[in-house]
Protein backbone atom coordinates (compact mmCIF):
# COMPACT_ATOMS: atom_id res chain seq x y z
CA UNK A 1 0.00 0.00 0.00
CA UNK A 2 1.44 3.35 -0.98
CA UNK A 3 1.99 5.75 1.90
CA UNK A 4 0.71 9.24 1.55
CA UNK A 5 2.96 12.18 2.38
CA UNK A 6 1.29 14.92 4.35
CA UNK A 7 2.49 18.37 3.25
CA UNK A 8 2.38 21.10 5.86
CA UNK A 9 0.95 24.45 4.83
CA UNK A 10 3.67 27.01 4.01
CA UNK A 11 2.67 29.26 6.95
CA UNK A 12 2.85 26.37 9.44
CA UNK A 13 6.25 25.33 8.09
CA UNK A 14 7.56 28.90 8.36
CA UNK A 15 6.38 29.28 11.96
CA UNK A 16 7.84 25.90 12.88
CA UNK A 17 11.19 26.84 11.40
CA UNK A 18 11.22 30.16 13.25
CA UNK A 19 10.37 28.41 16.51
CA UNK A 20 13.26 25.98 16.09
CA UNK A 21 15.68 28.83 15.34
CA UNK A 22 14.42 30.77 18.36
CA UNK A 23 14.87 27.80 20.66
CA UNK A 24 18.37 27.23 19.31
CA UNK A 25 19.26 30.86 19.90
CA UNK A 26 17.99 30.67 23.49
CA UNK A 27 19.94 27.49 24.11
CA UNK A 28 23.06 29.13 22.68
CA UNK A 29 22.70 32.07 25.10
CA UNK A 30 24.35 34.29 22.51
CA UNK A 31 23.67 37.42 24.59
CA UNK A 32 26.55 36.50 26.91
CA UNK A 33 30.26 36.50 26.09
CA UNK A 34 31.46 33.71 23.87
CA UNK A 35 33.35 30.88 25.50
CA UNK A 36 37.12 31.26 25.16
CA UNK A 37 38.93 29.22 22.59
CA UNK A 38 41.55 26.78 23.90
CA UNK A 39 44.77 28.60 24.72
CA UNK A 40 47.94 27.47 23.04
CA UNK A 41 50.77 26.34 25.28
CA UNK A 42 53.42 28.86 26.27
CA UNK A 43 56.64 28.70 24.32
CA UNK A 44 59.75 27.92 26.33
CA UNK A 45 60.78 31.61 26.33
CA UNK A 46 57.27 32.81 27.20
CA UNK A 47 57.29 30.39 30.13
CA UNK A 48 60.71 31.75 31.14
CA UNK A 49 59.56 35.36 31.12
CA UNK A 50 56.40 34.38 32.97
CA UNK A 51 58.48 32.74 35.73
CA UNK A 52 60.79 35.75 35.80
CA UNK A 53 57.84 38.10 36.11
CA UNK A 54 56.49 36.00 38.98
CA UNK A 55 59.82 36.15 40.80
CA UNK A 56 60.07 39.89 40.21
CA UNK A 57 56.44 40.35 41.31
CA UNK A 58 56.87 38.98 44.82
CA UNK A 59 60.38 40.39 45.16
CA UNK A 60 59.36 43.99 44.42
CA UNK A 61 56.12 43.57 46.40
CA UNK A 62 58.01 42.44 49.52
CA UNK A 63 60.49 45.31 49.27
CA UNK A 64 57.82 47.97 48.76
CA UNK A 65 55.66 46.56 51.55
CA UNK A 66 58.60 46.75 53.98
CA UNK A 67 58.79 50.49 53.36
CA UNK A 68 55.07 50.90 54.09
CA UNK A 69 55.03 49.19 57.49
CA UNK A 70 51.37 48.65 58.44
CA UNK A 71 50.03 50.56 55.42
CA UNK A 72 48.17 49.07 52.46
CA UNK A 73 50.10 48.21 49.28
CA UNK A 74 48.81 47.39 45.81
CA UNK A 75 51.15 46.96 42.82
CA UNK A 76 50.95 45.71 39.25
CA UNK A 77 54.27 43.91 38.71
CA UNK A 78 53.18 43.26 35.12
CA UNK A 79 52.90 47.01 34.50
CA UNK A 80 56.25 47.74 36.16
CA UNK A 81 58.00 44.93 34.26
CA UNK A 82 56.60 46.00 30.91
CA UNK A 83 57.51 49.67 31.35
CA UNK A 84 61.05 48.67 32.34
CA UNK A 85 61.14 46.14 29.49
CA UNK A 86 60.51 48.93 26.97
CA UNK A 87 63.16 51.08 28.67
CA UNK A 88 65.65 48.23 28.58
CA UNK A 89 65.55 48.31 24.77
CA UNK A 90 67.52 51.57 25.04
CA UNK A 91 69.99 50.37 27.68
CA UNK A 92 73.48 49.04 27.03
CA UNK A 93 76.42 47.54 28.91
CA UNK A 94 76.23 47.26 32.68
CA UNK A 95 73.10 49.41 32.78
CA UNK A 96 71.25 46.78 30.77
CA UNK A 97 72.76 43.94 32.81
CA UNK A 98 71.51 45.54 36.03
CA UNK A 99 68.00 45.91 34.64
CA UNK A 100 67.95 42.30 33.48
CA UNK A 101 69.11 41.16 36.91
CA UNK A 102 66.42 43.21 38.62
CA UNK A 103 63.72 41.76 36.35
CA UNK A 104 65.12 38.21 36.83
CA UNK A 105 65.86 37.97 33.10
CA UNK A 106 69.61 37.30 33.25
CA UNK A 107 69.45 34.15 31.14
CA UNK A 108 67.58 35.63 28.16
CA UNK A 109 68.81 37.67 25.20
CA UNK A 110 67.23 40.97 24.15
CA UNK A 111 65.45 39.29 21.24
CA UNK A 112 64.14 36.47 23.44
CA UNK A 113 62.86 38.93 26.05
CA UNK A 114 61.10 41.12 23.50
CA UNK A 115 59.59 38.23 21.58
CA UNK A 116 58.38 36.54 24.78
CA UNK A 117 56.75 39.76 26.00
CA UNK A 118 54.98 40.11 22.66
CA UNK A 119 53.62 36.58 22.81
CA UNK A 120 52.62 36.73 26.47
CA UNK A 121 50.79 40.04 26.02
CA UNK A 122 48.87 38.62 23.05
CA UNK A 123 47.88 35.53 25.06
CA UNK A 124 46.69 37.56 28.04
CA UNK A 125 44.59 39.92 25.94
CA UNK A 126 42.78 37.01 24.26
CA UNK A 127 42.55 34.70 27.27
CA UNK A 128 38.98 35.35 28.43
CA UNK A 129 36.32 37.24 26.45
CA UNK A 130 34.25 37.54 29.66
CA UNK A 131 36.97 39.69 31.26
CA UNK A 132 37.88 43.23 30.20
CA UNK A 133 41.66 43.55 29.98
CA UNK A 134 43.74 46.35 28.48
CA UNK A 135 47.55 46.40 28.34
CA UNK A 136 48.70 49.60 26.65
CA UNK A 137 52.14 51.14 26.16
CA UNK A 138 53.27 54.58 25.04
CA UNK A 139 56.48 56.58 24.60
CA UNK A 140 56.48 60.38 24.78
CA UNK A 141 59.60 62.34 23.85
CA UNK A 142 60.45 66.01 23.96
CA UNK A 143 60.13 67.86 20.65
CA UNK A 144 63.54 68.07 18.97
CA UNK A 145 65.04 65.25 21.07
CA UNK A 146 66.69 62.72 18.74
CA UNK A 147 65.55 59.15 19.43
CA UNK A 148 67.29 56.15 17.85
CA UNK A 149 65.02 54.57 15.24
CA UNK A 150 65.90 51.04 16.37
CA UNK A 151 64.60 51.86 19.86
CA UNK A 152 61.31 53.13 18.44
CA UNK A 153 60.93 50.19 16.06
CA UNK A 154 61.55 47.57 18.78
CA UNK A 155 58.98 49.03 21.15
CA UNK A 156 56.40 49.49 18.42
CA UNK A 157 56.83 45.93 17.19
CA UNK A 158 57.17 44.01 20.44
CA UNK A 159 55.17 46.18 22.88
CA UNK A 160 52.70 47.77 20.44
CA UNK A 161 53.79 51.13 21.88
CA UNK A 162 52.31 54.41 20.70
CA UNK A 163 55.20 56.80 20.03
CA UNK A 164 54.69 60.57 20.07
CA UNK A 165 56.82 63.68 20.37
CA UNK A 166 55.45 66.56 22.41
CA UNK A 167 56.39 70.11 23.32
CA UNK A 168 57.26 69.44 26.97
CA UNK A 169 57.58 73.19 27.57
CA UNK A 170 53.92 73.69 26.76
CA UNK A 171 51.96 74.08 30.04
CA UNK A 172 49.40 71.58 28.70
CA UNK A 173 51.90 68.83 27.82
CA UNK A 174 51.35 66.87 31.03
CA UNK A 175 47.58 67.03 30.44
CA UNK A 176 48.00 65.36 27.04
CA UNK A 177 49.90 62.42 28.56
CA UNK A 178 47.52 62.15 31.50
CA UNK A 179 44.54 62.11 29.14
CA UNK A 180 46.06 58.99 27.55
CA UNK A 181 46.39 57.46 31.04
CA UNK A 182 42.78 58.23 31.92
CA UNK A 183 41.49 56.76 28.68
CA UNK A 184 43.49 53.53 29.01
CA UNK A 185 42.41 53.03 32.66
CA UNK A 186 38.77 54.05 32.10
CA UNK A 187 39.20 57.08 34.36
CA UNK A 188 40.34 55.01 37.34
CA UNK A 189 43.78 56.67 37.33
CA UNK A 190 43.68 60.37 36.56
CA UNK A 191 47.32 60.93 35.69
CA UNK A 192 50.95 60.01 36.25
CA UNK A 193 52.88 63.08 35.02
CA UNK A 194 53.05 66.26 37.10
CA UNK A 195 53.00 69.71 35.51
CA UNK A 196 55.15 71.48 34.62
CA UNK A 197 57.40 68.85 33.05
CA UNK A 198 60.98 69.36 34.29
CA UNK A 199 63.34 71.03 31.82
CA UNK A 200 65.77 68.08 31.95
CA UNK A 201 63.13 65.43 31.21
CA UNK A 202 63.49 64.06 27.70
CA UNK A 203 61.09 61.11 27.64
CA UNK A 204 58.35 59.15 29.41
CA UNK A 205 57.79 55.43 28.86
CA UNK A 206 54.35 54.51 30.20
CA UNK A 207 52.47 51.27 30.66
CA UNK A 208 48.78 51.09 31.61
CA UNK A 209 46.91 47.95 32.68
CA UNK A 210 43.15 47.80 33.19
CA UNK A 211 41.21 44.75 34.42
CA UNK A 212 37.53 44.21 35.12
CA UNK A 213 36.07 40.79 35.75
CA UNK A 214 32.91 39.43 37.29
CA UNK A 215 33.20 36.52 39.67
CA UNK A 216 32.34 33.21 38.05
CA UNK A 217 30.09 32.76 41.07
CA UNK A 218 29.05 36.11 42.50
CA UNK A 219 28.40 37.01 46.12
CA UNK A 220 24.79 37.74 47.09
CA UNK A 221 24.64 41.42 48.19
CA UNK A 222 21.80 40.54 50.57
CA UNK A 223 24.24 38.41 52.58
CA UNK A 224 26.80 41.21 52.99
CA UNK A 225 26.92 42.35 56.61
CA UNK A 226 29.19 44.45 58.82
CA UNK A 227 31.80 42.35 60.58
CA UNK A 228 34.94 43.07 62.67
CA UNK A 229 38.34 43.40 61.03
CA UNK A 230 41.52 43.48 63.15
CA UNK A 231 43.69 46.07 61.41
CA UNK A 232 47.48 45.81 61.66
CA UNK A 233 47.57 49.14 63.46
CA UNK A 234 44.92 51.08 65.33
CA UNK A 235 41.59 49.96 66.76
CA UNK A 236 39.48 47.10 65.47
CA UNK A 237 37.40 48.09 62.45
CA UNK A 238 33.89 47.21 61.35
CA UNK A 239 33.71 46.60 57.60
CA UNK A 240 31.12 45.38 55.04
CA UNK A 241 31.86 41.66 54.66
CA UNK A 242 30.62 39.47 51.82
CA UNK A 243 29.53 35.87 52.43
CA UNK A 244 29.52 32.89 50.12
CA UNK A 245 29.17 29.14 50.67
CA UNK A 246 30.07 26.55 48.09
CA UNK A 247 32.82 24.52 46.45
CA UNK A 248 35.99 26.56 45.95
CA UNK A 249 39.69 25.93 45.33
CA UNK A 250 41.04 25.97 48.87
CA UNK A 251 44.13 25.22 50.96
CA UNK A 252 44.76 25.02 54.72
CA UNK A 253 48.30 23.85 55.46
CA UNK A 254 48.51 24.80 59.14
CA UNK A 255 50.32 28.04 58.38
CA UNK A 256 47.84 29.77 56.09
CA UNK A 257 44.48 29.48 54.42
CA UNK A 258 44.20 30.23 50.73
CA UNK A 259 41.21 30.45 48.40
CA UNK A 260 41.31 31.02 44.65
CA UNK A 261 38.25 32.80 43.23
CA UNK A 262 37.76 32.63 39.45
CA UNK A 263 36.44 35.35 37.15
CA UNK A 264 34.55 34.91 33.90
CA UNK A 265 35.39 31.62 32.24
CA UNK A 266 37.97 30.66 34.89
CA UNK A 267 41.06 31.90 33.05
CA UNK A 268 41.71 34.71 35.55
CA UNK A 269 41.25 34.44 39.32
CA UNK A 270 42.06 36.16 42.60
CA UNK A 271 43.88 34.25 45.32
CA UNK A 272 43.34 35.37 48.92
CA UNK A 273 46.06 34.27 51.37
CA UNK A 274 45.34 34.50 55.10
CA UNK A 275 48.15 33.65 57.57
CA UNK A 276 46.98 31.72 60.63
CA UNK A 277 46.45 33.75 63.78
CA UNK A 278 49.74 34.60 65.45
CA UNK A 279 51.73 34.19 62.25
CA UNK A 280 53.51 37.19 60.75
CA UNK A 281 52.16 38.47 57.44
CA UNK A 282 55.64 39.81 56.62
CA UNK A 283 57.05 36.28 56.84
CA UNK A 284 54.36 35.02 54.46
CA UNK A 285 55.09 37.88 52.08
CA UNK A 286 58.82 37.13 52.14
CA UNK A 287 58.23 33.42 51.56
CA UNK A 288 56.36 34.19 48.33
CA UNK A 289 59.55 35.81 47.00
CA UNK A 290 61.36 32.47 47.38
CA UNK A 291 61.55 30.42 44.14
CA UNK A 292 58.88 27.75 43.88
CA UNK A 293 56.69 28.88 46.80
CA UNK A 294 53.88 30.42 44.76
CA UNK A 295 53.79 27.49 42.32
CA UNK A 296 53.69 25.00 45.21
CA UNK A 297 50.79 26.82 46.86
CA UNK A 298 48.79 26.85 43.64
CA UNK A 299 49.46 23.14 43.16
CA UNK A 300 48.20 22.37 46.67
CA UNK A 301 44.71 23.84 46.19
CA UNK A 302 41.85 21.35 46.28
CA UNK A 303 38.17 21.83 45.57
CA UNK A 304 36.06 21.58 48.69
CA UNK A 305 33.00 23.08 50.31
CA UNK A 306 33.82 26.13 52.42
CA UNK A 307 32.21 29.21 53.92
CA UNK A 308 34.04 32.36 52.79
CA UNK A 309 33.72 35.74 54.51
CA UNK A 310 35.59 38.37 52.51
CA UNK A 311 35.66 42.14 53.16
CA UNK A 312 34.46 44.42 50.41
CA UNK A 313 37.27 46.92 49.77
CA UNK A 314 38.63 49.66 47.56
CA UNK A 315 42.25 50.89 47.44
CA UNK A 316 44.19 53.58 45.65
CA UNK A 317 47.95 53.43 45.93
CA UNK A 318 50.97 55.35 44.69
CA UNK A 319 54.66 54.53 44.98
CA UNK A 320 57.98 55.99 43.90
CA UNK A 321 60.06 52.94 42.96
CA UNK A 322 63.49 54.50 42.39
CA UNK A 323 65.13 53.34 45.65
CA UNK A 324 63.53 49.89 45.60
CA UNK A 325 64.59 49.15 42.01
CA UNK A 326 68.08 50.52 42.60
CA UNK A 327 68.47 48.20 45.60
CA UNK A 328 67.32 45.27 43.48
CA UNK A 329 70.25 45.67 41.10
CA UNK A 330 69.58 48.45 38.60
CA UNK A 331 71.26 51.25 40.56
CA UNK A 332 73.42 52.19 37.58
CA UNK A 333 70.32 53.09 35.54
CA UNK A 334 69.52 55.83 38.09
CA UNK A 335 73.07 57.21 38.22
CA UNK A 336 73.48 60.16 35.81
CA UNK A 337 77.27 59.71 35.86
CA UNK A 338 77.39 56.11 34.58
CA UNK A 339 73.97 55.20 33.10
CA UNK A 340 74.17 54.01 29.50
CA UNK A 341 71.00 54.55 27.49
CA UNK A 342 72.81 55.05 24.22
CA UNK A 343 70.17 52.88 22.58
CA UNK A 344 67.70 55.75 23.08
CA UNK A 345 70.06 58.56 22.16
CA UNK A 346 73.68 58.12 21.10
CA UNK A 347 74.87 61.06 23.21
CA UNK A 348 74.79 58.82 26.33
CA UNK A 349 73.68 61.66 28.60
CA UNK A 350 70.47 59.95 29.73
CA UNK A 351 69.44 58.18 32.92
CA UNK A 352 66.22 57.10 34.66
CA UNK A 353 65.25 60.08 36.79
CA UNK A 354 62.04 58.55 38.18
CA UNK A 355 59.87 55.42 38.16
CA UNK A 356 56.36 56.19 39.40
CA UNK A 357 53.57 53.67 39.93
CA UNK A 358 49.85 54.25 40.59
CA UNK A 359 47.14 51.65 41.14
CA UNK A 360 43.43 51.29 41.86
CA UNK A 361 41.37 48.27 42.92
CA UNK A 362 37.78 47.68 43.99
CA UNK A 363 36.49 44.29 45.13
CA UNK A 364 32.76 43.84 45.65
CA UNK A 365 29.96 41.28 45.28
CA UNK A 366 30.03 41.42 41.47
CA UNK A 367 33.75 41.07 40.93
CA UNK A 368 36.92 43.14 40.70
CA UNK A 369 38.03 46.26 38.86
CA UNK A 370 41.71 47.16 38.90
CA UNK A 371 44.01 49.55 37.06
CA UNK A 372 47.69 50.42 37.14
CA UNK A 373 50.05 52.85 35.45
CA UNK A 374 53.84 52.86 35.50
CA UNK A 375 55.87 55.80 34.25
CA UNK A 376 59.60 55.64 33.57
CA UNK A 377 60.93 59.19 33.30
CA UNK A 378 64.13 59.61 31.32
CA UNK A 379 66.20 62.66 32.21
CA UNK A 380 69.31 64.15 30.69
CA UNK A 381 72.50 65.01 32.55
CA UNK A 382 72.52 68.47 31.01
CA UNK A 383 70.45 70.50 28.62
CA UNK A 384 71.96 72.04 25.48
CA UNK A 385 73.13 75.56 26.40
CA UNK A 386 70.35 78.11 26.20
CA UNK A 387 71.07 81.65 25.01
CA UNK A 388 68.22 84.08 25.43
CA UNK A 389 69.16 87.51 24.13
CA UNK A 390 67.12 89.63 26.53
CA UNK A 391 69.59 92.35 27.56
CA UNK A 392 72.13 94.67 25.84
CA UNK A 393 74.36 92.83 23.37
CA UNK A 394 76.99 93.28 20.70
CA UNK A 395 76.91 91.93 17.18
CA UNK A 396 79.53 91.55 14.49
CA UNK A 397 79.06 90.97 10.76
CA UNK A 398 82.13 89.31 9.37
CA UNK A 399 83.54 87.10 6.64
CA UNK A 400 84.65 83.79 8.07
CA UNK A 401 87.44 82.77 5.68
CA UNK A 402 89.37 86.02 5.74
CA UNK A 403 88.33 87.17 9.19
CA UNK A 404 87.32 90.52 7.82
CA UNK A 405 84.95 92.45 10.07
CA UNK A 406 82.38 94.28 8.03
CA UNK A 407 80.19 95.69 10.76
CA UNK A 408 80.12 95.73 14.54
CA UNK A 409 77.35 96.99 16.74
CA UNK A 410 75.87 97.24 20.20
CA UNK A 411 72.19 97.06 21.04
CA UNK A 412 71.06 98.58 24.32
CA UNK A 413 67.39 98.69 23.42
CA UNK A 414 64.99 97.56 20.72
CA UNK A 415 63.14 100.23 18.78
CA UNK A 416 59.53 99.48 17.87
Amino acid sequence: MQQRTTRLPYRTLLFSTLAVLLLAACADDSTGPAAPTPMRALTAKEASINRANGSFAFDVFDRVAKTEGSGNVFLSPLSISMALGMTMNGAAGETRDGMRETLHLDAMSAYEINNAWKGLRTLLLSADPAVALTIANSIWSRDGFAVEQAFIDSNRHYFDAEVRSLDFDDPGAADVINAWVRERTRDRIQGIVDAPIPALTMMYLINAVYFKGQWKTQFDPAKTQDAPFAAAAGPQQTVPTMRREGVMRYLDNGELQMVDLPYGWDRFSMAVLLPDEGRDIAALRASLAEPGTWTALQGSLIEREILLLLPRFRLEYEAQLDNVLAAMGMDEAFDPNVADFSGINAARELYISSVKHKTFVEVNEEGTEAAAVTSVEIGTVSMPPTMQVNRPFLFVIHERNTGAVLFVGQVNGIDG
Side-chain angles (χ1 to χ4, degrees), residues 17 58 190 316 331:
T17 304
F58 295 115
Q190 293 301 303
E316 293 184 34
D331 52 313

Side-chain angles (χ1 to χ4, degrees), residues 72-80 181 185 188-192 207 209 314-319 321 356-362 369-374:
N72 294 326
V73 177
F74 182 58
L75 304 178
S76 172
L78 179 74
S79 176
I80 300 168
V181 168
T185 61
R188 287 308 186 183
I189 296 176
Q190 293 301 303
I192 196 76
N207 169 272
V209 176
R314 174 186 173 120
L315 298 176
E316 293 184 34
Y317 184 74
E318 180 175 348
L321 300 177
K356 189 185 293 185
H357 190 61
K358 285 188 177 183
T359 55
F360 163 90
V361 64
E362 182 173 7
E369 184 177 22
V373 174
T374 305

Side-chain angles (χ1 to χ4, degrees), residues 289-311:
E290 297 173 3
T293 299
W294 172 240
T295 303
L297 287 173
Q298 287 181 298
S300 300
L301 291 166
I302 59 171
E303 291 196 348
R304 61 167 299 176
E305 182 93 15
I306 70 165
L307 167 63
L308 175 64
L309 301 172
L310 178 67

Side-chain angles (χ1 to χ4, degrees), residues 256-301:
L256 63 87
Q257 291 176 283
M258 175 175 169
V259 65
D260 200 47
L261 304 173
Y263 302 99
W265 289 95
D266 211 3
R267 292 275 173 85
F268 295 94
S269 63
M270 183 176 80
V272 180
L273 294 86
L274 178 69
D276 284 1
E277 283 197 54
R279 293 192 177 273
D280 186 10
I281 195 167
L284 171 59
R285 195 181 63 230
S287 72
L288 291 174
E290 297 173 3
T293 299
W294 172 240
T295 303
L297 287 173
Q298 287 181 298
S300 300
L301 291 166

Side-chain angles (χ1 to χ4, degrees), residues 2 32 86 98 124 165 178 187 200 263-264 296 308 343 365 386 412:
Q2 186 176 3
M86 287 196 298
L124 290 173
S165 61
N178 290 332
D187 287 329
L200 296 180
Y263 302 99
L308 175 64
E365 290 86 353
T386 300
N412 285 317

